[in-house]
């Protein structure tokens, strides 16, 4: 373990929002069951942090410690069409590495920030694909059994931005089975997705990606846009003027600002469309 006392979650999240707490970097998976047993024994609550790119953390001193995996080296080991990937590996780097070895399928995920473990836990997806489609096996710490386990594909269900993992399960490693494709062809797909993303999303600003899930058959971004809410703000938290489902931190936004903006937009959408938008970002607000 590596202990960083008084770590700032604002510095560890793409939104740049969040209070401080002790951060424990985990170097060996095998140490996790004992670590969690000790935390329990001492009555210390905890949360797992991935890449911090889909997370809104409350302000102030957090009443729990944060655990984060320190990435193993090498992050990716290839074996034919299988990619064995450490959960702490950067998602974009993993997609690129596999592409260079003629393994495709994940082109749509290229611009999605975060770790492979984070993408896996919420079945991240874009441009018609979701990571779950390529999962063959997952190594994880299961809080229920308090031990490390390996689950095969048919023991896990992957749905739109949702998986059957328990909230306190911790992703450790995944084996992906990827289709063979020439690098040049994958690169072409990557370029197209990058271009679409650049033209529609506020990439240069601090955000957590889309703040709400799309309700069945509809687009949260389009509904918010139709209500003319682009640029609506609470403090430095603002609805992006580029994509209305991205809420950005334009300066020194607090979690309080961002949550007030979320509540305001949700209420207006409910009034206008009779739809209750569900958060897509994970909120740590205990
Ligand atoms: N639209 C507007 N105004 C806006 C935003 C969008 O009219 O401000 C319209 C677009 O013109 C389009 C439709 O709404 O006709 C859908 O927009 P877009 O193609 O941008 O997709 P999205 O449904 O808003 C989803 C994912 C994104 C993913 C893109 C591309 C969710 C919540 N969002 O966005 O994922 O990058 O498709 O596949 O599922 C994320 O998960 O954080 C995320 C950004």
């Amino acid at each position: 373990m590596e202990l960083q006392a008084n770590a700032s979650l604002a510095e560890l999240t793409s939104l740049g929002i969040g209070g401080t707490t002790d951060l424990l970097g985990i170097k060996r998976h095998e140490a996790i069951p004992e670590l969690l047993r000790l935390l329990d024994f001492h009555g210390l609550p905890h949360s797992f942090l991935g890449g911090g790119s889909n997370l809104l953390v409350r302000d102030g001193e957090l009443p729990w410690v944060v655990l984060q995996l320190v990435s193993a080296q090498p992050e990716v080991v290839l074996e034919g069409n299988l990619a064995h990937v450490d959960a702490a590996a950067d998602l974009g780097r993993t997609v690129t590495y596999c592409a260079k070895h003629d393994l495709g399928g994940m082109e749509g995920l290229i611009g999605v920030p975060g770790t492979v473990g984070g993408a896996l836990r919420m079945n991240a997806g874009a441009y018609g694909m979701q990571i779950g489609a390529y999962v063959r096996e997952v190594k994880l710490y299961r809080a229920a059994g308090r031990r490390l386990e390996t689950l095969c594909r048919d023991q896990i269900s992957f749905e739109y931005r949702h998986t059957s993992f328990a909230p306190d399960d911790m992703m450790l490693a995944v084996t992906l089975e990827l289709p063979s494709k020439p690098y040049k062809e994958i690169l072409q797909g990557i370029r197209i997705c990058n271009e679409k993303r650049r033209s529609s999303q506020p990439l240069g600003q601090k955000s957590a990606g889309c703040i709400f899930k799309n309700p069945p058959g509809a687009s949260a971004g389009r509904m918010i846009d139709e209500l003319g809410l682009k640029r609506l703000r609470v403090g430095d938290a603002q609805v992006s003027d580029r994509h209305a489902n991205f809420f950005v931190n334009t300066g020194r936004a607090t979690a309080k600002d961002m949550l007030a903006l979320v509540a305001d937009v949700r209420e207006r959408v409910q009034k206008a469309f009779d739809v209750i938008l569900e958060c897509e970002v994970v909120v740590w607000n205990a």
Side-chain angles (χ1 to χ4, degrees), residues 19 44 49 148 160 205 210 233:
L44 290 169
L49 175 68
L148 306 186
Y160 167 66
Q205 287 184 284
C210 284
R233 59 192 305 154

Side-chain angles (χ1 to χ4, degrees), residues 54 125-128 160-161 197 200-201 208-210 212-214 219 221-222 225 230 242-246 280:
N54 193 47
Y127 305 113
Y160 167 66
R161 300 293 192 274
R197 208 181 282 285
S200 63
Q201 300 180 358
C210 284
F212 297 113
K213 289 184 186 182
N214 282 336
S219 156
R222 183 181 293 148
D225 194 3
K230 279 182 170 168
R242 214 170 162 72
H243 192 300
N245 198 14
F246 278 65
E280 199 253 9

Side-chain angles (χ1 to χ4, degrees), residues 6-284:
N6 231 2
S8 160
L9 270 291
E11 285 167 22
L12 295 168
T13 53
S14 58
L15 257 176
I17 292 175
T20 54
T21 187
D22 289 347
L23 177 73
L24 273 172
I26 299 170
K27 294 179 174 172
R28 279 195 320 117
H29 296 166
E30 291 66 28
I32 295 171
E34 178 64 2
L35 167 66
L36 292 189
R37 199 192 60 73
L38 280 170
L39 290 176
D40 270 3
F41 181 77
H42 292 283
L44 290 169
H46 62 272
S47 291
F48 300 123
L49 175 68
S53 59
N54 193 47
L55 186 61
L56 171 54
V57 185
R58 59 161 264 188
D59 308 310
E61 201 177 321
L62 310 182
W64 65 84
V65 296
V66 169
L67 314 181
Q68 189 179 37
L69 294 176
V70 174
S71 87
Q73 294 302 330
E75 288 180 326
V76 185
V77 175
L78 300 179
E79 184 191 351
N81 283 64
L82 301 181
H84 305 286
V85 192
D86 188 67
D90 177 77
L91 181 62
R93 209 163 48 226
T94 302
V95 175
T96 311
Y97 181 85
C98 293
K100 283 186 180 158
H101 292 84
D102 301 315
L103 293 175
M106 296 200 292
E107 293 83 332
L109 289 176
I110 190 68
V112 176
T115 60
V116 169
L120 181 67
R121 132 160 307 292
M122 60 159 318
N123 194 18
Y127 305 113
M129 61 80 52
Q130 305 185 118
I131 192 169
Y134 300 103
V135 170
R136 170 125 160 202
E137 205 172 85
V138 175
K139 181 182 167 196
L140 73 171
Y141 169 78
R142 291 222 102 169
R146 292 172 167 252
R147 58 192 177 100
L148 306 186
E149 281 182 38
T150 299
L151 299 181
C152 58
R153 216 233 114 71
D154 50 11
Q155 291 175 286
I156 313 162
S157 77
F158 291 99
E159 290 145 50
Y160 167 66
R161 300 293 192 274
H162 181 79
T163 60
S164 52
F165 299 118
D168 46 3
D169 285 346
M170 187 177 194
M171 308 294 110
L172 303 177
V174 59
T175 299
L176 300 168
E177 186 167 8
L178 301 169
S180 300
K181 242 192 208 183
Y183 178 44
K184 274 192 173 164
E185 217 176 284
I186 303 173
L187 207 56
Q188 188 75 5
I190 285 177
R191 286 206 180 108
I192 293 170
C193 292
N194 268 338
E195 193 38 52
K196 281 191 195 160
R197 208 181 282 285
R198 259 198 300 271
S199 66
S200 63
Q201 300 180 358
L203 300 188
Q205 287 184 284
K206 289 182 183 171
S207 83
C210 284
I211 203 100
F212 297 113
K213 289 184 186 182
N214 282 336
S219 156
R222 183 181 293 148
M223 291 194 285
I224 301 167
D225 194 3
E226 274 176 17
L227 294 178
L229 302 182
K230 279 182 170 168
R231 295 190 187 83
L232 181 73
R233 59 192 305 154
V234 176
D236 279 345
Q238 188 183 35
V239 177
S240 159
D241 57 2
R242 214 170 162 72
H243 192 300
N245 198 14
F246 278 65
F247 289 15
V248 295
N249 173 5
T250 61
R252 308 176 65 135
T254 61
K256 201 167 166 241
D257 297 335
M258 197 50 85
L259 288 167
L261 188 63
V262 167
D264 188 3
V265 170
R266 184 186 269 142
E267 203 179 304
R268 293 178 194 232
V269 167
Q270 187 182 0
K271 267 197 192 126
F273 299 99
D274 197 23
V275 167
I276 300 176
L277 292 176
E278 193 188 328
C279 269
E280 199 253 9
V281 297
V282 175
V283 180
W284 286 0

